Structures are given as structure tokens and as C-alpha cells.
Amino acid sequence: MKQHPVIELKKITRSFTKGGGFLGGPGQRVDVLRNVTLSINSGEVLCLVGESGCGKTTTGKIIAGLLPPSAGQILYSGQELSTMDKVEFSQYRRSVQLIHQDPYAAPNPTHTIYSILSAPMFRHGLVRTRRDAVRRVADLMETVDLTPIGDFIEKYPHQLSGGQRQRVVIARALILQPRLIVADEPVSMLDVSIRLSVISLLRRLQKEMQVAFLFITHDLAMAKHFGIGGRLAVMYIGEVVETGTTEQIINQPMHPYTQALLKAIPEPDPELTRAKEPINLRSLDIPDLADLPPGCTFHPRCPAYLGSRCESTTPRLLTQRDGRQIACLLYEGGKVEAIGRSVL
Ligand code: SF4
């Protein structure tokens, strides 16, 4: 029997209205996502990378059911969300959990860790007595390495460090045994010294529980670390421009934007960083979403710019011989032999 991906996005567009002013004018339509097509299989890790404001968080919110798309289809286990009844939709919402970026804002500051973790258990009928709840909360705290349990269970979030709070947020995301976790920049607000331990915890949980992950980050180095063995998708102002296995993209990026992103990662050895050739972007300015360039939206910055063709033709996300997908005219028109060529 065919195994459906946990989640599929098909040609998702999300628009917002910008402005409109104090007098309530019509405002201007801004498409923050355009034709985004992605899928995540059971137990798979997909890292979504790109510069701030490229639409990664909006994609995560749409996948978690917190934001409806303006157009396109979302399928959970092969079933389109719009065809689900109330019970099916609630099952989907339980199966997809979100870990927010900001551990300082996420847990309710007026509740103890016990209350924060036990409330959803009572609400969803997972426990009936306080005794059961204490036991399950303790199990969860142990799972996320929030130990010794007695030191934390009656504390309030403000009494914890950022890393400890993020462990509470992770524990809360695990309560309903999700099939997919959307982790939106889960360590970007933590001290550098504790980022690695939280990332290692997430990786361990992913492997032990075989839960799928959408790991959203602006930091390709972090994606490289978290996404090994999984897949990676690169976004540029509202569109997916390259997807492939993490190894393919890290070792041999093909889209000029992905190549530029990878060149910008500093090496641990400062000598290697100094020896790197500079990225010859045509412009450092990111286009305004409300006034996107025609054709390929990367053309005003692209170091591999092909001339007027890039300004008049919108590249399609095409599957290449090695299974990766690229949206760039360099690889269209049967030019699959272009695989392996580096344009920087
Ligand atoms: Fe660069 Fe043209 Fe490819 Fe766009 S289509 S990434 S401008 S070469």
C-alpha cells in the first residue's frame, strides 16, 4: 500500500494586504509565498533555509494549521485538509506540533512547569488523576533532560534559563505524540554555548521517536548539522529554489542563490574563511515583496545572470537527473547535463 507523506504542500500561495492606511483604503496585495510545493515523509527531517523574511515561518505556520493558505492544497496523510471533518481536522492538529523560536515568550509565565505540561494531558483525556499526571510529567521531563525533576517541576518559567525553557517547550510539543514537529528557529534565541545541546536533544528525539521534523533556520551551518541524512529546501523571497538531500546541497549546491548562501558560512578556521573568494552578488539589496522583479526574482542579485532571459522568464522548479529540484534557467530546457557545474 502506498505510504503517503505526513504533509504535502501543493502550489501554496499566501497573500497579505499591506497598508490600507488609517482611512481603510484598499491596501496592496503582497504574496509572501508563491507556488510552494513541498512534502515531508514519515520520520524524515526537512530543513527549510533562507534569509530572514523569505517566508519560512509562514510556511511553518501553514503546515501546523495556524494560518490558512490563500491558494493551493495541503494534504495530511494523503487527505486534503479542506475535505476533513471536525474529528479528522482535530487529529491532524494533534499530530503536527510547533516549537516556537522564543522560549521566553512561549510558556505561560503564571503557571508552574507541572501545570504547563499537565494541562494538555487533562484536556485531551490522557490522564485522569494528579498522581498519573505527575508521573507522566516526570517521564516527559526526563525525556528532555530536565533533571533532577524535583528541582524544576514546581518552578515558574522565569526561574529557568533559556535552554531549560526551550526544553519545557519541546516537552510540551511531545505530549500528544506528534507525527511531525515544526521547529521554527528553535535555538536562535539561545546562548551559543547551549545551542548544540538543544540541537542534539532534538536529533535524539527525532531518531528515538521516529518523528518527522520541519527544521526552519536562516543558518545553513545549523541545517548542515541538524539535517544530515535528511533533505534540505532553500527558499528565496517566497519561493522554493532548490531541494535535495542535505549532502547533495551542502556538498554540491547548484542554484546560484544556494551557492551564495554556502559561501557566506564562516569556516571554523579563520584562515580558511579569509581564503574564501568573495561572493560576487550583483546587488546586496533584497527586493521588496510588494515590488518583486519580473522573471527570476533573484536576477537583480544573481552572479550567474544570463541576461534578459532571466528578466522575462520565471524559472520552474524542475526535478533533475539526481533527484534534486532546481528553479533556475541554467538547468531548464533539457540542460540536465548542467548538473555538476558550479556557476560561482
Ligand atoms: Fe540566476 Fe537566471 Fe538562474 Fe535566476 S534564472 S538564478 S537570474 S541564472
Side-chain angles (χ1 to χ4, degrees), residues 255-257 296 298-299 302 304-306 310 315 327-330:
H255 192 283
Y257 176 64
C296 172
F298 190 51
H299 85 253
C302 181
Y305 176 66
L306 298 171
C310 294
C328 170
L329 297 178
L330 281 169

Side-chain angles (χ1 to χ4, degrees), residues 45-50 56 183 185-187 196 199 203 214-235 244-247 249-250 258 261-262 265:
V45 171
L46 176 70
C47 291
L48 186 60
V49 301
K56 305 184 297 294
E185 304 269 14
V187 296
L196 205 57
I199 287 293
R203 272 305 285 192
L214 174 67
F215 186 84
I216 296 173
T217 178
H218 67 280
D219 183 349
L220 247 178
M222 195 58 79
K224 189 171 152 182
H225 182 74
F226 191 82
I228 284 303
R231 285 189 304 126
L232 208 144
V234 181
M235 270 191 121
T245 66
T246 305
E247 286 77 3
I249 293 186
I250 297 295
T258 316
L261 275 183
L262 269 158
I265 299 180

Side-chain angles (χ1 to χ4, degrees), residues 2 6 31 48 67 95 101-102 110 131 136 158 167 177 224 235 279-280 297 306 309 312 332:
K2 189 187 168 200
V6 183
D31 294 335
L48 186 60
L67 201 61
S95 300
Q101 175 175 16
D102 185 358
T110 64
R131 192 190 164 97
R136 286 192 76 144
H158 74 268
R167 285 170 197 272
Q177 298 181 319
K224 189 171 152 182
M235 270 191 121
I279 306 156
N280 297 315
T297 50
L306 298 171
R309 241 180 97 210
S312 58
E332 278 197 18

